[in-house]
Amino acid sequence: MSTPERSKPLATVEQVKAQTLHWLEQAVIGLNLCPFAKAVHKRAQLRLVVSTAKHLDGFLDELDAELALLQHTPASEVDTTLLVHPGLFPDFLEFNDFLNIVDDIVLEHGLEGVIQVAPFHPEFLFGGEDEADMSHYTNRAPFPMLHLLREDSLSQAIDAHGDTDAIPERNKAVLRDLGLEGWRKLMRMSD
């Protein structure tokens, strides 16, 4: 896998944070795509890290650091982390292949069953779905990112929420109803 090196990020760290928080608040929380996100965000237990690593090795070092932080920090302080890189993974298929390395790193840290990684990418595609289907937008974000979730926290949220099996189909229906123009309008940030 060859990941292009970037001499500078496509956007400033502040812009990446602002756009990511806008996506989180408008889409993930606003459309209730993840019914667990609102409480974590409200309690300020979500850590948003924007990587400016110029090479894959630097990004992997940051992933190592974030996994260690979650392992050694109480969930009441940091429950989940969004690790974002605005320029290192422009191609979704390469990003998708990179997720195998991420899985290996979680294993190396002894965190299988402790930390789960959910991927997001501006061009995310689910296999078996028409490329134009809005269902892909459940995992589309302004920038490539890894969402590092604690399995215990996720289990507690699922237990408190009740039936979660309907969430994926509900999300697809919400996004299909919203449509591409509705998504674009939702993602527009006012100046």
Side-chain angles (χ1 to χ4, degrees), residues 95-130:
F95 176 74
N96 197 48
D97 288 344
F98 167 69
L99 297 175
N100 292 321
I101 296 170
V102 172
D103 289 342
D104 290 343
I105 290 170
V106 170
L107 285 171
E108 287 172 9
H109 280 268
L111 296 173
E112 184 179 27
V114 178
I115 300 292
Q116 182 182 119
V117 180
F120 293 87
H121 192 279
E123 300 299 324
F124 196 97
L125 293 171
F126 288 107
E129 293 281 352
D130 184 287

Side-chain angles (χ1 to χ4, degrees), residues 22-130:
H22 181 79
W23 164 79
L24 175 72
E25 292 166 353
Q26 298 301 309
V28 177
I29 294 171
L31 296 176
N32 200 30
L33 298 178
C34 177
F36 322 127
K38 184 177 181 177
V40 173
H41 182 53
K42 187 176 179 177
R43 291 190 304 257
Q45 295 171 315
L46 180 135
R47 182 171 159 81
L48 174 55
V49 177
V50 177
S51 173
T52 58
K54 291 182 176 20
H55 308 281
L56 184 58
D57 288 345
F59 184 74
L60 292 174
D61 289 342
E62 291 173 331
L63 175 60
D64 283 336
E66 290 306 314
L67 288 170
L69 184 137
L70 285 172
Q71 187 175 17
H72 300 293
T73 304
S76 59
E77 291 177 32
V78 179
D79 193 47
T80 189
T81 299
L82 296 177
L83 179 57
V84 182
H85 199 299
L88 197 58
F89 304 101
D91 182 80
F92 171 68
L93 294 178
E94 286 186 13
F95 176 74
N96 197 48
D97 288 344
F98 167 69
L99 297 175
N100 292 321
I101 296 170
V102 172
D103 289 342
D104 290 343
I105 290 170
V106 170
L107 285 171
E108 287 172 9
H109 280 268
L111 296 173
E112 184 179 27
V114 178
I115 300 292
Q116 182 182 119
V117 180
F120 293 87
H121 192 279
E123 300 299 324
F124 196 97
L125 293 171
F126 288 107
E129 293 281 352
D130 184 287

